[in-house]
Amino acid sequence: NAGVTQTPKFQVLKTGQSMTLQCAQDMNHNSMYWYRQDPGMGLRLIYYSASEGTTDKGEVPNGYNVSRLNKREFSLRLESAAPSQTSVYFCASSPQGRPGNTIYFGEGSWLTVV
Amino acid sequence: QKEVEQNSGPLSVPEGAIASLNCTYSDRGSQSFFWYRQYSGKSPELIMFIYSNGDKEDGRFTAQLNKASQYVSLLIRDSQPSDSATYLCAVSFGNEKLTFGTGTRLTIIP
């Protein structure tokens, strides 16, 4: 049982390049999330998807797009990477049904934009 | 803006002592409260959650919630070097989205 799987684990981009972070979960969870974590800033929500076919902006959505491809997969795309997007990105998922359900995190993706 | 605040630390505690971690939140409508532990270079993992006022115990960990004062705390008894990590407080404001504090870095001194 892999839980939440993210790829790639490490990536270096040049300013202006695009890339997609992939995320898949095998726990049959309805809700999925993308967070970024920066020193001193904690975890901040970029986008989330409450169910297949729906996505909503979180706290810091600018510069990102997401796709909920199916129930298992939720991808995050940087169309034109900027140095300010250097961060650790975590995908997460949770079962749906009541407020504040436990969320489970993937192992993280370390992204550096130069 | 809904806020969750934690002292960033570092908090140093001798091995075997009690570590006390605190978190305050801004929205009185908050419903669910979580403590996550994050080792350096790893993803956060859930330690405990609490919904009701009072204490909730799980092994060496006790979560305490005081909704009137808008704070939640985590006590770690008999602290071990393996408890050295960053502890993240997270609050749900009535939906599935969690808002995280910036975390408190805890170091257990052997």
Side-chain angles (χ1 to χ4, degrees):
Chain A
N1 189 345
V4 180
T5 303
Q6 296 179 230
T7 58
K9 191 169 179 66
F10 299 99
Q11 183 72 49
V12 178
L13 285 178
K14 293 183 178 179
T15 297
Q17 286 185 319
S18 63
M19 77 159 297
T20 299
L21 298 175
Q22 307 286 353
C23 175
Q25 52 92 10
D26 61 3
M27 297 178 282
N28 200 36
H29 288 170
N30 286 311
S31 299
M32 297 187 73
Y33 312 81
W34 276 104
Y35 285 89
R36 62 177 288 175
Q37 186 173 37
D38 304 290
M41 300 292 289
L43 283 158
R44 293 182 292 170
L45 183 64
I46 305 171
Y47 271 94
Y48 74 103
S49 171
S51 61
E52 182 180 353
T54 68
T55 60
D56 285 288
K57 295 178 180 179
E59 183 183 353
V60 287
N62 291 344
Y64 305 95
N65 287 302
V66 291
S67 296
R68 184 73 183 267
L69 304 172
N70 47 56
K71 191 172 185 178
R72 292 186 64 249
E73 298 173 288
F74 188 40
S75 63
L76 178 72
R77 183 161 178 83
L78 287 69
E79 291 290 352
S80 179
S84 61
Q85 294 178 303
T86 293
S87 188
V88 183
Y89 292 85
F90 288 101
C91 178
S93 70
S94 71
Q96 200 172 39
R98 61 175 179 167
N101 264 314
T102 301
I103 64 173
Y104 299 86
F105 288 89
E107 294 188 341
S109 297
W110 275 254
L111 176 65
T112 301
V113 182
V114 297
Chain B
Q1 181 173 346
K2 300 178 175 63
E3 294 181 346
V4 178
E5 297 193 357
Q6 297 180 253
N7 188 324
S8 62
L11 175 65
S12 296
V13 173
E15 184 176 355
I18 297 175
S20 177
L21 304 162
N22 299 312
C23 171
T24 60
Y25 58 94
S26 63
D27 189 338
R28 287 190 175 275
S30 304
Q31 297 183 341
S32 309
F33 307 86
F34 300 79
W35 283 100
Y36 282 81
R37 177 177 62 199
Q38 186 175 26
Y39 293 114
S40 180
K42 302 295 186 181
S43 59
E45 56 179 335
L46 181 70
I47 299 175
M48 293 190 68
F49 60 88
I50 185 168
Y51 300 138
S52 304
N53 272 329
D55 295 359
K56 180 180 179 181
E57 187 174 317
D58 184 1
R60 296 187 297 112
F61 299 94
T62 299
Q64 299 176 318
L65 175 61
N66 185 323
K67 288 189 175 182
S69 299
Q70 295 177 240
Y71 82 79
V72 57
S73 62
L74 179 70
L75 301 179
I76 306 174
R77 291 182 300 280
D78 188 24
S79 296
Q80 304 296 311
S82 59
D83 296 325
S84 296
T86 296
Y87 289 80
L88 303 170
C89 173
V91 178
S92 170
F93 297 97
N95 54 32
E96 289 205 23
K97 292 185 290 184
L98 294 184
T99 298
F100 285 83
T102 55
T104 297
R105 186 156 56 95
L106 174 66
T107 300
I108 305 302
I109 304 169

